[in-house]
Amino acid sequence: MTHAFRFQTVPTLIVEFGAARRLGALLRAQFPALERLCVVTDGFLHKSGLLDPALADLEAHGWNATVIDDVIADPPEHVVLEATARARSAGAEIVLGLGGGSSMDVAKLIAALAPQQQQQLSEMYGVNKVTVQRLPLVQMPTTAGTGSEVTAVSIVTVGEASKMGVVAPQLIADLAILDAELTLGLPVAATAATGIDAMVHAIEAYTSAHLKNPVSDMLAIKALELLSRNLLPACEDGNNREAREAMLLGATFAGQAFANSPVAAVHALAYPIGGIYHVPHGLSNALVLPHVLRFNADSAADLYAELADVVVPGATGSAEDKTQALIEKLEQMIAATAIPARLRDVGIEREGLGRMASDAMLQTRLLVNNPKPVSEAGALAIYNAAF
Ligand SMILES: NC(=O)c1ccc[n+]([C@@H]2O[C@H](COP(=O)([O-])OP(=O)(O)OC[C@H]3O[C@@H](n4cnc5c(N)ncnc54)[C@H](O)[C@@H]3O)[C@@H](O)[C@H]2O)c1
Ligand SMILES: [Fe+2]
């Protein structure tokens, strides 16, 4: 028996190596009547020249582009609000997120906030709280990680350290364009961290407690296959086109999976690490991943065993044995990428773990999806294991 379910994703996905070089033409074909485009990115990407071919083609096809490059990692609220004001004064008719998850998340909110005054950002946090229509929205990732190009989620840092999500169908883009050429130069540490973030999306979608569904399952399995086979090749040789294409497609599949079968305790425990210590999102996930899986193992072993069949195809034995093999394989992969493996390696002190555990408890939107209930004491035990 299949439970009733709902599955939403972008209506159009273009997967094309080199698509950025003909971005103006691609957008002209889909949005013939529009002219004023707001490109949302970060300062590093803008200055790096990576976006130049895309910007040149936009101009060649009559787009009047305003580049907003103030996005920073784990974007705080004020960045969203200032960028919205700029998009408004430029008279933006369409918004393009062109960068990592941070840029795409800000682009979503600009598209929702810029065309109206009825609803404030502060009223949008939570699930299905957005009541307004947005501007046309296109997303083009430069990391193979967040899957934000296909999700209904935008993550904002509110106040000093808390990460809050706006989750609403209006945030799903009209068009997502995957051009793996944009990811060729992604440094190895960022390749590893963002790739592990994508793997976590697939793993947590597959074990999600309430909205797990057959379409998300299929996407999560395919995502994990692509990601687990190509993460190390992409880290070893950033110019490996095949590995980069597989990673980008895998990250998008994982995004489609968790957009409809949401992530859980790995993300809930990762957010305080990013919020308080400014550790990149993917790395925050990697630091707690094996420890959360061990914590969940007695509740989720059958599902983890199915994932082990994908990630460690030779694993045999009971569901518990396969779960163990999965966790060990993930730990080996994290070690092989040489990103930090312990909380103490990223500047966290043991005295900080208590605050992290109490902050993690605030991520109720995520914790409800975990296959096993997580108490504050449980979260603290996981952080201690990861320390
Ligand atoms: N909306 C969602 O569904 C969702 C899901 C997971 C995470 N997130 C959020 O996304 C953000 C993280 O996004 P991210 O991991 O993609 O990182 P990011 O967007 O914060 O970028 C990290 C760094 O990588 C650089 N970079 C990006 N692409 C590059 C490239 N091709 N070459 C060289 N450098 C490049 C950027 O300039 C930046 O300095 C966090 O705020 C996180 O909370 C959102
Ligand atoms: Fe994530």
Coordinates of all heavy atoms in Angstrom, one line a residue, residues 273-364:
I273 N 26.3 24.5 14.3 CA 27.7 24.6 14.0 C 28.0 25.7 13.0 O 28.9 26.5 13.2 CB 28.2 23.2 13.5 CG1 27.9 22.1 14.5 CG2 29.7 23.3 13.1 CD1 28.2 20.7 13.9
G274 N 27.1 25.8 12.0 CA 27.2 26.9 11.1 C 26.9 28.2 11.7 O 27.5 29.3 11.5
G275 N 25.8 28.2 12.4 CA 25.3 29.5 13.0 C 26.2 30.1 14.0 O 26.5 31.3 14.0
I276 N 26.7 29.3 14.9 CA 27.6 29.9 16.0 C 29.0 30.0 15.5 O 29.7 31.0 15.8 CB 27.5 29.0 17.3 CG1 26.1 28.8 17.8 CG2 28.4 29.5 18.4 CD1 25.9 27.8 18.8
Y277 N 29.5 29.0 14.8 CA 31.0 29.0 14.5 C 31.3 29.3 13.1 O 32.5 29.2 12.7 CB 31.6 27.6 14.9 CG 31.4 27.3 16.4 CD1 30.4 26.6 16.9 CD2 32.3 27.9 17.3 CE1 30.2 26.3 18.3 CE2 32.2 27.7 18.7 CZ 31.2 26.9 19.2 OH 31.0 26.7 20.5
H278 N 30.3 29.5 12.3 CA 30.5 29.9 10.8 C 31.3 28.8 10.1 O 32.2 29.2 9.3 CB 31.1 31.3 10.7 CG 30.3 32.3 11.4 ND1 29.1 32.7 10.9 CD2 30.4 33.0 12.6 CE1 28.5 33.6 11.7 NE2 29.3 33.7 12.8
V279 N 31.0 27.6 10.4 CA 31.6 26.5 9.7 C 30.7 26.3 8.4 O 29.5 26.3 8.5 CB 31.6 25.2 10.5 CG1 32.0 24.0 9.7 CG2 32.5 25.4 11.8
P280 N 31.3 26.1 7.2 CA 30.5 26.0 6.0 C 29.4 24.8 6.2 O 29.7 23.8 6.8 CB 31.5 25.6 4.9 CG 32.8 26.1 5.4 CD 32.7 26.1 6.9
H281 N 28.3 25.0 5.5 CA 27.2 24.1 5.7 C 27.5 22.7 5.5 O 27.2 21.8 6.3 CB 26.0 24.6 4.8 CG 24.8 23.7 4.8 ND1 24.0 23.6 5.9 CD2 24.4 22.8 3.9 CE1 23.1 22.7 5.6 NE2 23.3 22.2 4.4
G282 N 28.2 22.4 4.4 CA 28.5 21.0 4.0 C 29.4 20.4 5.1 O 29.2 19.2 5.5
L283 N 30.4 21.1 5.5 CA 31.3 20.6 6.5 C 30.6 20.4 7.8 O 30.9 19.4 8.5 CB 32.5 21.6 6.7 CG 33.6 21.3 7.7 CD1 34.1 19.9 7.6 CD2 34.7 22.4 7.7
S284 N 29.7 21.3 8.2 CA 28.9 21.1 9.4 C 28.2 19.8 9.4 O 28.1 19.0 10.4 CB 27.9 22.2 9.6 OG 28.5 23.5 9.6
N285 N 27.6 19.5 8.2 CA 26.9 18.2 8.1 C 27.9 17.0 8.2 O 27.6 16.0 8.8 CB 26.3 18.2 6.7 CG 24.9 18.8 6.7 OD1 24.0 18.3 7.3 ND2 24.7 19.8 5.9
A286 N 29.0 17.1 7.5 CA 30.0 16.0 7.5 C 30.4 15.7 8.9 O 30.6 14.5 9.3 CB 31.2 16.4 6.6
L287 N 30.6 16.7 9.7 CA 31.1 16.5 11.1 C 30.2 15.7 12.0 O 30.6 15.0 12.8 CB 31.4 17.9 11.8 CG 32.5 18.7 11.2 CD1 32.4 20.2 11.6 CD2 33.9 18.1 11.6
V288 N 28.9 15.8 11.8 CA 28.0 15.1 12.6 C 27.4 13.9 11.9 O 26.8 13.0 12.6 CB 26.8 16.0 13.1 CG1 27.4 17.0 14.1 CG2 26.0 16.6 12.0
L289 N 27.5 13.8 10.6 CA 26.9 12.7 9.9 C 27.0 11.3 10.4 O 26.1 10.6 10.8 CB 27.3 12.7 8.4 CG 26.9 11.5 7.5 CD1 25.3 11.5 7.4 CD2 27.5 11.6 6.1
P290 N 28.3 10.8 10.6 CA 28.4 9.4 11.1 C 27.8 9.2 12.4 O 27.2 8.1 12.7 CB 29.9 9.2 11.1 CG 30.6 10.3 10.4 CD 29.6 11.4 10.4
H291 N 27.9 10.2 13.3 CA 27.4 10.1 14.7 C 25.9 10.1 14.7 O 25.3 9.4 15.6 CB 28.1 11.2 15.5 CG 29.5 11.2 15.3 ND1 30.4 10.3 15.9 CD2 30.3 12.0 14.5 CE1 31.6 10.5 15.4 NE2 31.6 11.5 14.6
V292 N 25.2 10.9 13.9 CA 23.8 10.8 13.8 C 23.3 9.5 13.3 O 22.4 8.9 13.8 CB 23.2 12.0 13.0 CG1 21.7 11.9 12.8 CG2 23.5 13.3 13.7
L293 N 24.0 9.0 12.3 CA 23.6 7.7 11.7 C 23.7 6.6 12.8 O 22.9 5.7 12.9 CB 24.4 7.3 10.5 CG 24.2 8.3 9.2 CD1 24.8 7.6 8.0 CD2 22.8 8.7 9.0
R294 N 24.8 6.6 13.6 CA 25.0 5.6 14.6 C 23.8 5.7 15.6 O 23.3 4.7 16.1 CB 26.3 5.8 15.4 CG 27.4 5.0 14.7 CD 28.6 4.9 15.5 NE 29.6 4.4 14.6 CZ 30.5 5.2 14.0 NH1 30.6 6.5 14.4 NH2 31.3 4.7 13.1
F295 N 23.5 7.0 16.0 CA 22.4 7.2 16.9 C 21.1 6.7 16.4 O 20.3 6.1 17.1 CB 22.3 8.8 17.2 CG 21.1 9.2 18.0 CD1 21.2 9.3 19.4 CD2 19.9 9.5 17.4 CE1 20.1 9.7 20.2 CE2 18.8 9.9 18.2 CZ 18.9 10.0 19.5
N296 N 20.9 6.9 15.1 CA 19.6 6.4 14.5 C 19.5 4.9 14.2 O 18.5 4.4 13.9 CB 19.4 7.1 13.1 CG 19.0 8.6 13.3 OD1 18.6 9.0 14.4 ND2 19.1 9.4 12.2
A297 N 20.7 4.3 14.2 CA 20.8 3.0 13.6 C 19.8 2.0 14.1 O 19.2 1.2 13.3 CB 22.2 2.4 13.8
D298 N 19.4 2.0 15.4 CA 18.5 0.9 15.8 C 17.1 1.2 15.3 O 16.3 0.3 15.3 CB 18.5 0.8 17.4 CG 18.3 2.1 18.1 OD1 18.1 3.1 17.5 OD2 18.4 2.0 19.4
S299 N 16.8 2.4 14.9 CA 15.4 2.7 14.3 C 15.4 2.7 12.8 O 14.3 2.5 12.2 CB 15.0 4.1 14.8 OG 14.9 4.2 16.2
A300 N 16.5 2.8 12.2 CA 16.5 3.0 10.7 C 17.4 2.0 10.0 O 17.6 2.1 8.8 CB 17.0 4.4 10.3
A301 N 17.7 0.9 10.7 CA 18.7 -0.1 10.1 C 18.2 -0.6 8.7 O 19.0 -0.8 7.8 CB 19.0 -1.2 11.0
D302 N 16.9 -0.9 8.6 CA 16.4 -1.5 7.4 C 16.6 -0.6 6.2 O 17.0 -1.0 5.1 CB 15.0 -1.9 7.5 CG 14.8 -3.1 8.4 OD1 15.8 -3.9 8.6 OD2 13.7 -3.4 8.9
L303 N 16.3 0.7 6.4 CA 16.5 1.7 5.3 C 18.0 2.0 5.1 O 18.4 2.1 3.9 CB 15.8 3.0 5.7 CG 14.3 2.8 5.8 CD1 13.6 4.2 6.2 CD2 13.7 2.4 4.5
Y304 N 18.8 2.1 6.1 CA 20.2 2.3 5.9 C 20.8 1.1 5.2 O 21.7 1.3 4.4 CB 20.9 2.5 7.3 CG 20.7 3.8 8.0 CD1 20.9 3.9 9.3 CD2 20.3 4.9 7.2 CE1 20.6 5.2 10.0 CE2 20.1 6.1 7.9 CZ 20.2 6.3 9.2 OH 20.0 7.4 9.9
A305 N 20.3 -0.1 5.4 CA 20.8 -1.3 4.7 C 20.6 -1.1 3.2 O 21.4 -1.5 2.4 CB 20.2 -2.6 5.3
E306 N 19.4 -0.6 2.9 CA 19.1 -0.4 1.4 C 20.0 0.7 0.8 O 20.5 0.5 -0.3 CB 17.6 0.1 1.3 CG 16.6 -1.0 1.6 CD 15.2 -0.6 1.7 OE1 14.8 0.5 1.1 OE2 14.4 -1.3 2.3
L307 N 20.4 1.7 1.6 CA 21.4 2.6 1.1 C 22.8 2.0 1.0 O 23.5 2.4 0.1 CB 21.4 3.9 2.0 CG 20.1 4.7 2.1 CD1 20.2 5.9 3.0 CD2 19.6 5.1 0.7
A308 N 23.1 1.1 2.0 CA 24.4 0.4 1.9 C 24.5 -0.3 0.6 O 25.6 -0.4 0.0 CB 24.5 -0.5 3.1
D309 N 23.4 -0.9 0.1 CA 23.5 -1.7 -1.1 C 23.9 -0.8 -2.3 O 24.5 -1.2 -3.3 CB 22.1 -2.2 -1.5 CG 21.7 -3.4 -0.6 OD1 22.7 -4.0 0.0 OD2 20.5 -3.7 -0.4
V310 N 23.7 0.5 -2.2 CA 24.1 1.5 -3.2 C 25.5 2.0 -3.0 O 26.4 2.0 -3.9 CB 23.2 2.7 -3.2 CG1 23.6 3.7 -4.3 CG2 21.7 2.3 -3.5
V311 N 25.8 2.3 -1.7 CA 27.1 3.0 -1.4 C 28.2 2.0 -1.2 O 29.4 2.2 -1.5 CB 27.0 3.9 -0.2 CG1 28.3 4.5 0.2 CG2 25.9 4.9 -0.4
V312 N 27.9 0.8 -0.6 CA 28.9 -0.3 -0.4 C 28.3 -1.6 -1.0 O 27.9 -2.4 -0.3 CB 29.1 -0.5 1.1 CG1 30.6 -0.9 1.4 CG2 28.8 0.7 2.0
P313 N 28.3 -1.7 -2.3 CA 27.6 -2.8 -3.0 C 28.0 -4.2 -2.5 O 27.2 -5.1 -2.5 CB 27.9 -2.6 -4.5 CG 28.4 -1.2 -4.6 CD 29.0 -0.8 -3.3
G314 N 29.2 -4.3 -2.0 CA 29.7 -5.7 -1.6 C 29.2 -6.0 -0.2 O 29.5 -7.2 0.2
A315 N 28.6 -5.1 0.5 CA 28.3 -5.4 2.0 C 27.3 -6.5 2.1 O 26.4 -6.6 1.4 CB 27.8 -4.1 2.6
T316 N 27.6 -7.4 3.1 CA 26.7 -8.5 3.3 C 26.3 -8.6 4.7 O 26.8 -7.8 5.6 CB 27.4 -9.9 2.9 OG1 28.6 -9.9 3.6 CG2 27.6 -10.0 1.4
G317 N 25.4 -9.5 5.1 CA 25.0 -9.7 6.5 C 23.7 -9.1 6.8 O 22.9 -8.8 5.9
S318 N 23.5 -8.9 8.1 CA 22.2 -8.4 8.6 C 22.1 -6.9 8.2 O 23.0 -6.3 7.8 CB 22.1 -8.6 10.1 OG 23.1 -7.7 10.7
A319 N 20.9 -6.4 8.4 CA 20.7 -4.9 8.2 C 21.6 -4.1 9.1 O 22.2 -3.1 8.7 CB 19.2 -4.6 8.5
E320 N 21.8 -4.6 10.3 CA 22.8 -3.9 11.3 C 24.2 -4.0 10.7 O 24.9 -3.0 10.8 CB 22.7 -4.6 12.7 CG 21.4 -4.3 13.4 CD 20.2 -5.1 12.9 OE1 20.4 -6.1 12.2 OE2 19.1 -4.6 13.1
D321 N 24.6 -5.1 10.2 CA 25.9 -5.2 9.6 C 26.1 -4.2 8.4 O 27.1 -3.5 8.3 CB 26.2 -6.6 9.0 CG 26.2 -7.7 10.1 OD1 26.5 -7.3 11.3 OD2 26.0 -8.9 9.8
K322 N 25.0 -4.2 7.6 CA 25.1 -3.3 6.4 C 25.1 -1.8 6.8 O 25.8 -1.0 6.2 CB 23.9 -3.6 5.5 CG 24.1 -4.9 4.7 CD 22.9 -5.0 3.7 CE 23.1 -6.2 2.8 NZ 22.1 -6.2 1.7
T323 N 24.3 -1.5 7.9 CA 24.3 -0.1 8.4 C 25.7 0.3 8.9 O 26.2 1.4 8.6 CB 23.3 0.0 9.6 OG1 22.0 -0.3 9.0 CG2 23.3 1.4 10.2
Q324 N 26.3 -0.7 9.6 CA 27.7 -0.4 10.0 C 28.7 -0.2 8.9 O 29.5 0.7 8.9 CB 28.2 -1.7 10.8 CG 29.4 -1.5 11.7 CD 29.2 -0.3 12.6 OE1 28.1 0.0 13.2 NE2 30.3 0.5 12.8
A325 N 28.5 -1.0 7.8 CA 29.3 -0.9 6.6 C 29.1 0.5 6.0 O 30.1 1.2 5.5 CB 29.1 -2.0 5.6
L326 N 27.9 0.9 5.9 CA 27.5 2.2 5.3 C 28.2 3.4 6.1 O 28.9 4.2 5.5 CB 26.0 2.5 5.3 CG 25.5 3.8 4.9 CD1 25.7 4.1 3.4 CD2 24.0 4.0 5.2
I327 N 28.1 3.3 7.4 CA 28.7 4.4 8.2 C 30.2 4.4 8.1 O 30.8 5.5 7.9 CB 28.3 4.2 9.7 CG1 26.7 4.3 9.9 CG2 29.0 5.2 10.6 CD1 26.2 4.0 11.2
E328 N 30.8 3.2 8.1 CA 32.3 3.2 7.9 C 32.7 3.7 6.6 O 33.7 4.4 6.5 CB 32.8 1.7 8.2 CG 32.8 1.4 9.7 CD 33.0 -0.1 9.9 OE1 33.4 -0.8 9.0 OE2 32.8 -0.5 11.1
K329 N 31.9 3.3 5.5 CA 32.3 3.8 4.2 C 32.2 5.3 4.1 O 33.1 6.0 3.5 CB 31.3 3.2 3.2 CG 31.6 3.6 1.8 CD 32.8 3.0 1.2 CE 33.1 3.4 -0.2 NZ 34.2 2.8 -0.8
L330 N 31.2 5.9 4.7 CA 31.0 7.4 4.7 C 32.2 8.0 5.5 O 32.7 9.0 5.1 CB 29.7 7.8 5.3 CG 28.4 7.4 4.5 CD1 27.1 7.6 5.3 CD2 28.4 8.2 3.2
E331 N 32.6 7.4 6.6 CA 33.7 7.9 7.4 C 35.0 7.9 6.6 O 35.8 8.8 6.6 CB 33.9 7.2 8.7 CG 32.8 7.6 9.7 CD 33.0 6.9 11.1 OE1 33.2 5.6 11.1 OE2 32.8 7.5 12.1
Q332 N 35.1 6.8 5.8 CA 36.3 6.7 5.0 C 36.3 7.7 3.9 O 37.4 8.3 3.6 CB 36.4 5.3 4.3 CG 36.8 4.2 5.2 CD 36.4 2.8 4.6 OE1 36.1 2.7 3.4 NE2 36.5 1.8 5.4
M333 N 35.2 8.0 3.3 CA 35.1 9.0 2.2 C 35.4 10.3 2.8 O 36.2 11.1 2.2 CB 33.7 9.0 1.6 CG 33.4 7.8 0.7 SD 31.8 7.8 0.1 CE 31.9 9.1 -1.1
I334 N 34.9 10.7 4.0 CA 35.2 12.0 4.6 C 36.7 12.1 4.8 O 37.3 13.1 4.5 CB 34.3 12.2 5.9 CG1 32.8 12.3 5.5 CG2 34.8 13.4 6.6 CD1 31.9 12.2 6.7
A335 N 37.2 11.0 5.4 CA 38.7 11.1 5.7 C 39.5 11.2 4.4 O 40.5 12.0 4.3 CB 39.1 9.8 6.4
A336 N 39.1 10.6 3.3 CA 39.8 10.6 2.1 C 39.8 12.0 1.5 O 40.8 12.4 0.7 CB 39.3 9.6 1.1
T337 N 38.8 12.8 1.7 CA 38.8 14.2 1.2 C 39.6 15.1 2.0 O 39.8 16.2 1.6 CB 37.3 14.7 1.2 OG1 36.9 14.9 2.5 CG2 36.4 13.8 0.4
A338 N 40.1 14.7 3.2 CA 40.9 15.5 4.0 C 40.3 16.7 4.6 O 41.0 17.6 5.1 CB 42.2 15.8 3.3
I339 N 38.9 16.8 4.6 CA 38.3 17.9 5.3 C 38.3 17.5 6.8 O 38.5 16.3 7.2 CB 36.8 18.1 4.8 CG1 36.0 16.9 5.0 CG2 36.8 18.6 3.4 CD1 34.5 17.1 4.7
P340 N 38.2 18.5 7.7 CA 38.2 18.2 9.1 C 37.2 17.1 9.5 O 36.1 17.1 8.9 CB 37.9 19.5 9.8 CG 38.3 20.5 8.8 CD 38.0 19.9 7.5
A341 N 37.5 16.2 10.4 CA 36.6 15.2 10.8 C 36.0 15.3 12.2 O 35.1 14.6 12.5 CB 37.3 13.8 10.7
R342 N 36.6 16.2 13.0 CA 36.1 16.3 14.4 C 35.7 17.8 14.7 O 36.3 18.7 14.2 CB 37.2 15.9 15.4 CG 38.0 14.7 15.0 CD 37.6 13.4 15.5 NE 36.7 13.4 16.6 CZ 35.9 12.3 16.9 NH1 35.8 11.3 16.1 NH2 35.1 12.4 17.9
L343 N 34.8 17.9 15.6 CA 34.3 19.3 16.0 C 35.5 20.1 16.5 O 35.6 21.3 16.3 CB 33.2 19.2 17.0 CG 31.9 18.6 16.6 CD1 30.9 18.6 17.7 CD2 31.3 19.4 15.4
R344 N 36.4 19.4 17.2 CA 37.6 20.1 17.8 C 38.5 20.7 16.7 O 39.3 21.6 17.0 CB 38.3 19.3 18.8 CG 39.0 18.1 18.1 CD 40.1 17.5 19.1 NE 39.4 16.7 20.1 CZ 39.4 15.4 20.2 NH1 40.0 14.7 19.3 NH2 38.8 14.8 21.2
D345 N 38.4 20.1 15.5 CA 39.3 20.5 14.4 C 38.8 21.8 13.8 O 39.5 22.4 12.9 CB 39.4 19.4 13.3 CG 40.0 18.1 13.9 OD1 40.7 18.2 14.9 OD2 39.7 17.1 13.3
V346 N 37.6 22.3 14.1 CA 37.1 23.5 13.4 C 36.9 24.6 14.4 O 36.1 25.5 14.2 CB 35.7 23.2 12.7 CG1 36.0 22.2 11.5 CG2 34.6 22.7 13.6
G347 N 37.6 24.5 15.6 CA 37.6 25.7 16.5 C 36.5 25.6 17.5 O 36.2 26.6 18.2
I348 N 35.8 24.5 17.7 CA 34.8 24.3 18.7 C 35.4 23.8 20.0 O 36.3 22.9 19.9 CB 33.7 23.4 18.1 CG1 33.0 24.0 16.9 CG2 32.6 23.1 19.2 CD1 32.0 23.2 16.2
E349 N 35.0 24.3 21.1 CA 35.5 23.8 22.4 C 34.4 23.0 23.1 O 33.2 23.2 22.8 CB 35.9 25.0 23.3 CG 37.2 25.6 22.6 CD 37.7 26.8 23.4 OE1 36.9 27.4 24.2 OE2 38.9 27.1 23.2
R350 N 34.8 22.1 23.9 CA 33.9 21.2 24.6 C 32.8 22.0 25.3 O 31.6 21.6 25.3 CB 34.6 20.2 25.5 CG 33.8 18.9 25.6 CD 34.4 17.9 26.5 NE 35.3 16.9 25.8 CZ 34.8 15.8 25.2 NH1 33.5 15.6 25.1 NH2 35.7 15.0 24.7
E351 N 33.2 23.1 25.9 CA 32.2 23.9 26.7 C 31.1 24.5 25.8 O 30.1 24.9 26.3 CB 32.9 25.1 27.3 CG 34.0 24.8 28.3 CD 35.3 24.2 27.7 OE1 35.9 25.0 26.9 OE2 35.7 23.1 28.0
G352 N 31.4 24.5 24.5 CA 30.3 25.0 23.6 C 29.2 24.0 23.2 O 28.2 24.4 22.6
L353 N 29.5 22.8 23.5 CA 28.5 21.7 23.0 C 27.1 21.8 23.6 O 26.1 21.6 23.0 CB 29.1 20.3 23.3 CG 30.5 20.0 22.7 CD1 30.9 18.5 22.9 CD2 30.6 20.4 21.2
G354 N 27.1 22.3 24.9 CA 25.8 22.5 25.6 C 24.9 23.5 24.8 O 23.7 23.2 24.6
R355 N 25.5 24.6 24.5 CA 24.7 25.6 23.8 C 24.2 25.1 22.4 O 23.1 25.3 21.9 CB 25.5 26.9 23.6 CG 24.7 27.9 22.8 CD 25.5 29.2 22.5 NE 24.8 30.0 21.6 CZ 25.3 31.0 20.9 NH1 26.6 31.3 21.0 NH2 24.6 31.8 20.1
M356 N 25.2 24.3 21.7 CA 24.8 23.8 20.4 C 23.6 22.8 20.6 O 22.7 22.9 19.7 CB 26.0 23.0 19.8 CG 27.1 24.0 19.3 SD 28.8 23.2 19.2 CE 28.4 21.8 18.2
A357 N 23.7 22.0 21.6 CA 22.6 21.0 21.8 C 21.2 21.7 22.0 O 20.2 21.4 21.5 CB 22.9 20.1 22.9
S358 N 21.3 22.8 22.8 CA 20.0 23.5 23.1 C 19.5 24.2 21.9 O 18.4 24.3 21.6 CB 20.1 24.4 24.4 OG 20.7 25.6 24.1
D359 N 20.5 24.8 21.1 CA 20.1 25.4 19.8 C 19.5 24.4 18.8 O 18.5 24.7 18.1 CB 21.3 26.1 19.1 CG 21.6 27.5 19.8 OD1 21.0 27.8 20.8 OD2 22.4 28.3 19.2
A360 N 20.1 23.2 18.8 CA 19.6 22.2 17.8 C 18.2 21.9 18.1 O 17.4 21.6 17.2 CB 20.5 21.0 17.9
M361 N 17.8 21.9 19.4 CA 16.4 21.6 19.8 C 15.4 22.5 19.2 O 14.2 22.2 19.0 CB 16.3 21.6 21.3 CG 16.9 20.4 22.0 SD 16.2 18.8 21.5 CE 17.5 18.2 20.5
L362 N 15.9 23.7 18.8 CA 14.9 24.7 18.2 C 14.6 24.3 16.7 O 13.7 24.9 16.2 CB 15.6 26.1 18.2 CG 16.0 26.6 19.6 CD1 16.7 28.0 19.5 CD2 14.7 26.8 20.5
Q363 N 15.4 23.4 16.2 CA 15.1 23.0 14.7 C 14.0 22.0 14.7 O 14.2 20.9 14.1 CB 16.4 22.5 14.1 CG 17.6 23.5 14.1 CD 17.3 24.6 13.1 OE1 16.5 24.5 12.2 NE2 18.0 25.7 13.2
T364 N 12.9 22.3 15.3 CA 11.8 21.3 15.3 C 11.3 21.0 13.9 O 10.9 19.8 13.7 CB 10.6 21.9 16.1 OG1 10.3 23.2 15.6 CG2 10.9 22.0 17.6

